[in-house]
């Protein structure tokens, strides 16, 4: 069983984006020392609460300060880019950090119209993801009229995010799938069953491979663990009611607010997809999740307001997972 980390470079209230990016790079070093398998960063554009707008650039920064952990993207959104440019970027990464780079790919477009216009990608761009994915994978093969230097001839493992038709596209191309944990687990399991049933072995893989991404928090008490996830849940509520994902506020400040009925409903929905508890409780909870999904790997994400609390949660997760620390203890 592999255990990995997704970091979205979320901005805390009072922070500048540069601080959040430096936090991500420092956190990657700590995660490597704890023994996690891979560390991925994400892509968001025009979002006040997210600093990670250039995932391949951030991945390069992460790879440069780590030694063994795999580094990748969760993911690069193909509708926002030309496949040739994406291939070149990952070719550079793989050339600089051979054998450590993952190419996680998604089909999402900008959240609001102004962002989509700025990126030159309309809502329908996501419908061309299959075509773009085929083109991107083709740039790594030799023999075309244009050579994607330095990507041509390299093997960079590709992963598809299960957004919309992503699971079916991953199965058709014989690629690993990354599925976000859903509060509606029946729907999630049905999607995974279809992916496995439709999987077509290819040069990219001879069997289905599933990574389940889950928002997970562990602390000394269940109540303390639940508090860690409050800031991101509230930011999700704000984005659904106001159209903008904001910087993370402290949990006490969030819980002290008087919410509208609509906000309370969205807050409950956001919390429903999060898993939290003590080490003993989360050992059982995550074990059941793996059993129900037959996941090959768990990718853990947590955006606590306090960096020290977040690192403590990942230490506890590493301990319950039985990971072997690499080098000195993370500080």
């Amino acid at each position: 069983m592999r255990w990995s980390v997704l970091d979205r470079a979320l901005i805390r209230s009072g922070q500048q984006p540069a601080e959040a990016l430096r936090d991500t790079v420092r956190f990657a070093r700590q995660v490597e020392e704890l023994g996690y398998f891979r560390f991925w960063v994400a892509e968001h554009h025009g979002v006040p609460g997210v600093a990670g707008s250039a995932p391949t650039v951030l991945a390069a920064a992460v790879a440069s300060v780590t030694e063994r952990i795999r580094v990748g993207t969760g993911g690069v959104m193909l509708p926002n880019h030309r496949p040739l440019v994406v291939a070149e970027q990952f070719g550079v990464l793989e050339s600089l950090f051979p054998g450590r780079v993952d190419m996680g790919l998604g089909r999402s477009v900008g959240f609001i119209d102004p962002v989509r216009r700025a990126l030159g990608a309309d809502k329908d761009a996501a419908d061309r993801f299959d075509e773009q994915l085929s083109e991107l994978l083709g740039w790594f093969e030799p023999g075309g009229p244009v050579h994607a230097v330095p990507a041509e001839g390299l093997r960079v493992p590709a992963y598809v995010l299960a957004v919309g038709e992503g699971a079916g596209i991953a199965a058709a191309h014989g690629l690993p799938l990354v599925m976000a944990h859903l509060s509606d687990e029946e729907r999630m399991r049905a999607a995974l069953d279809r992916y496995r049933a439709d999987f077509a072995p290819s040069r990219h893989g001879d069997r289905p491979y599933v990574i389940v991404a889950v928002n997970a928090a562990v602390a000394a008490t269940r109540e303390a663990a639940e508090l860690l996830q409050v800031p991101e849940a509230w930011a999700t509520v704000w984005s659904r009611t106001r159209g903008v994902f904001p910087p993370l506020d402290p949990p006490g400040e969030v819980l002290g607010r008087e919410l509208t009925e609509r906000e309370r409903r969205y807050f409950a929905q956001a919390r429903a997809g999060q898993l939290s508890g003590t080490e003993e409780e989360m050992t059982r909870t995550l074990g059941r999740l793996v059993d129900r999904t037959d996941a090959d790997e768990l990718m853990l994400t947590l955006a606590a307001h306090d960096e020290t609390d977040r690192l403590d949660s990942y230490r506890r997760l590493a301990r319950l997972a039985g990971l072997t620390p690499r080098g000195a203890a993370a500080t």
Side-chain angles (χ1 to χ4, degrees):
M1 185 68 192
R2 291 171 171 170
W3 297 71
S4 299
V5 174
L6 171 66
D7 185 287
R8 295 165 57 206
L10 299 191
I11 301 169
R12 277 76 184 170
S13 56
Q15 265 193 334
Q16 293 299 313
E19 295 175 79
L21 292 171
R22 293 189 188 102
D23 284 345
T24 289
V25 173
R26 181 174 60 252
F27 182 51
R29 217 166 33 233
Q30 295 166 331
V31 161
E32 179 177 58
E33 292 170 352
L34 290 172
Y36 286 94
F37 182 70
R38 64 177 109 235
F39 186 94
W40 281 7
V41 295
E43 174 181 343
H44 297 274
H45 297 282
V47 182
V50 185
S53 57
T56 54
V57 177
L58 186 53
V62 166
S64 69
V65 300
T66 54
E67 296 178 0
R68 297 172 296 273
I69 195 168
R70 295 194 64 85
V71 176
T73 56
V76 165
M77 299 302 158
L78 271 186
N80 299 333
H81 310 281
R82 292 299 307 165
L84 170 62
V85 175
V86 175
E88 290 171 336
Q89 290 173 347
F90 279 98
V92 169
L93 282 171
E94 176 63 21
S95 298
L96 292 173
F97 310 101
R100 293 180 55 207
V101 175
D102 298 325
M103 185 167 59
L105 306 163
R107 63 189 293 275
S108 297
V109 295
F111 185 60
I112 56 177
D113 286 336
V115 171
R116 289 192 290 269
R117 286 196 297 270
L119 292 169
D122 55 32
K123 285 184 177 181
D124 295 336
D127 298 334
R128 299 188 289 276
F129 177 72
D130 192 0
E131 175 187 337
Q132 289 181 307
L133 178 60
S134 295
E135 181 183 344
L136 170 60
L137 296 176
W139 286 117
F140 289 90
E141 300 301 322
V146 176
H147 300 280
V149 179
E152 190 177 81
L154 298 181
R155 285 290 177 263
V156 181
Y159 299 76
V160 175
L161 276 60
V163 178
E165 300 301 317
I169 292 170
H173 286 271
L175 292 171
L177 180 71
V178 184
M179 168 71 76
H181 172 254
L182 305 176
S183 56
D184 184 351
E185 285 200 0
E186 288 302 316
R187 183 161 66 93
M188 177 179 65
R189 290 165 61 187
L192 292 177
D193 288 344
R194 288 194 300 273
Y195 162 72
R196 292 186 174 106
D198 296 342
F199 185 87
S202 70
R203 58 184 173 81
H204 305 290
D206 58 3
R207 68 173 186 87
Y209 188 91
V210 171
I211 300 176
V212 174
V214 56
N215 193 308
V218 182
T221 67
R222 180 187 300 180
E223 293 74 19
E226 290 175 349
L227 276 179
L228 298 181
Q229 296 168 317
V230 165
E232 187 173 2
W234 170 248
T236 301
V237 172
W238 188 276
S239 70
R240 295 190 65 181
T241 56
R242 295 153 175 94
V244 176
F245 191 94
L248 301 177
D249 289 330
E253 183 178 317
V254 173
L255 296 178
R257 292 177 179 141
E258 187 69 32
L259 306 186
T260 67
E261 178 59 34
R262 185 183 180 211
E263 288 172 339
R264 283 195 295 272
R265 185 171 68 253
Y266 285 153
F267 189 72
Q269 290 174 1
R271 296 306 305 269
Q274 298 174 333
L275 302 180
S276 58
T278 63
E279 288 179 54
E280 182 179 357
E281 290 169 336
M282 286 294 280
T283 298
R284 294 193 298 268
T285 297
L286 294 176
R288 288 194 297 266
L289 176 62
V290 171
D291 288 342
R292 289 193 299 269
T293 61
D294 198 21
D296 299 282
E297 182 174 342
L298 289 183
M299 181 164 283
L300 308 166
T301 185
L302 173 64
H305 185 268
D306 185 276
E307 284 291 309
T308 302
D309 290 341
R310 177 170 72 153
L311 181 58
D312 178 68
S313 176
Y314 276 93
R315 278 201 187 100
R316 293 172 184 273
L317 282 162
R319 190 158 56 225
L320 71 84
L323 302 185
T324 303
R326 299 172 179 175
T331 56

